Amino acid sequence: MTAPRLNVLLVDDNDDDNFVHRRVVEQIGVNARVSVFQQAQQALDYLRTTDRDPVDIVFLDISMPRMTGFEFMEAFDQLPRALRVGVVVIFLSASMNPADVDRALKTANARGFLNKPLSRAKFNDVVNEYFDVATAS
């Protein structure tokens, strides 16, 4: 029997962060598909499509050009409920600004805030909290 597959989106304009975070997810020992979007609008367009696998986790940067993570969340909240239900959005940011952290934690439909970089332990914590999927430590 195949383990459930997690569909993970990385939404970040930084190539280096995306490379590291993709490797963390792919090497953690879960059956995961990782999609990378350097622009928040691209991720929203993907979420609006209906002929795709359900999205499980979105790791979202706050500071991006054209559309910030907060603006992404405002647009995400406007998506039909069927496209949002079950999606765990976690802000993943290098911001050390307490106002950003506070705002992220108070954002509707966002489940949390993590400081970059994404580590095996942080990813395991998210998976263990929200999904019934075993990970290899």
Side-chain angles (χ1 to χ4, degrees), residues 93-106:
S93 180
S95 177
M96 301 302 281
N97 182 338
D100 283 346
V101 176
D102 186 56
R103 183 174 177 193
L105 294 174
K106 291 179 179 174

Side-chain angles (χ1 to χ4, degrees), residues 107-127:
T107 298
N109 292 315
R111 302 286 182 91
F113 177 93
L114 296 173
N115 283 315
K116 289 181 183 179
L118 183 64
S119 65
R120 292 173 67 102
K122 290 175 186 175
F123 184 71
N124 274 335
D125 288 347
V126 170
V127 171

Side-chain angles (χ1 to χ4, degrees), residues 55-57 81-89 111 130-131:
V55 172
D56 299 300
I57 305 170
R81 187 181 188 297
L83 299 178
R84 290 182 285 119
V85 70
V87 179
V88 174
V89 179
R111 302 286 182 91
Y130 296 103
F131 302 98

